[in-house]
Amino acid sequence: MDTARYAALRRGSRRSLELIESRSGVYEAIAELPDRHCDVVLLTFLMGLETAEVAHRMGIAVGTVRSHLHTARRMLAKKIGIDLTPGEEKNQ
């Protein structure tokens, strides 16, 4: 994906997330993630892309996408006050 288009998509997505009201704070927490983690979450969960497609679009390894997802889930859980047990993370 073209870098300038990708950056514009990221900025627009973050602004949209910041405007959405959420009782649990999930959208706000996603918008506060570091850039790469936010990108992976948006492409995976909001756009419904498979891990391999996310890796291809971002120009990174599949393992890196999985790592970013793992870290993002931990960061989000902490931010919104959810305790993730090891078994809950297997559905990535």
Side-chain angles (χ1 to χ4, degrees), residues 21 31 36-37 43-44 49-50 56 58 62 64 78 81 86:
E21 302 242 358
R36 289 294 193 167
H37 294 84
L43 292 170
T44 301
L49 300 179
E50 296 291 330
H56 175 73
M58 292 181 67
V62 170
T64 303
K78 183 176 182 180

Side-chain angles (χ1 to χ4, degrees), residues 20-74:
I20 297 172
E21 302 242 358
S22 169
R23 289 184 188 172
S24 65
V26 173
Y27 297 112
E28 294 86 353
I30 292 171
E32 293 174 6
L33 288 172
D35 288 344
R36 289 294 193 167
H37 294 84
C38 182
D39 295 344
V40 168
V41 167
L42 292 174
L43 292 170
T44 301
F45 297 111
L46 296 180
M47 293 182 66
L49 300 179
E50 296 291 330
T51 304
E53 179 64 19
V54 173
H56 175 73
R57 288 187 184 213
M58 292 181 67
I60 59 178
V62 170
T64 303
V65 172
R66 289 187 186 124
S67 176
H68 286 335
L69 283 172
H70 173 80
T71 302
R73 286 177 54 131
R74 306 281 314 156

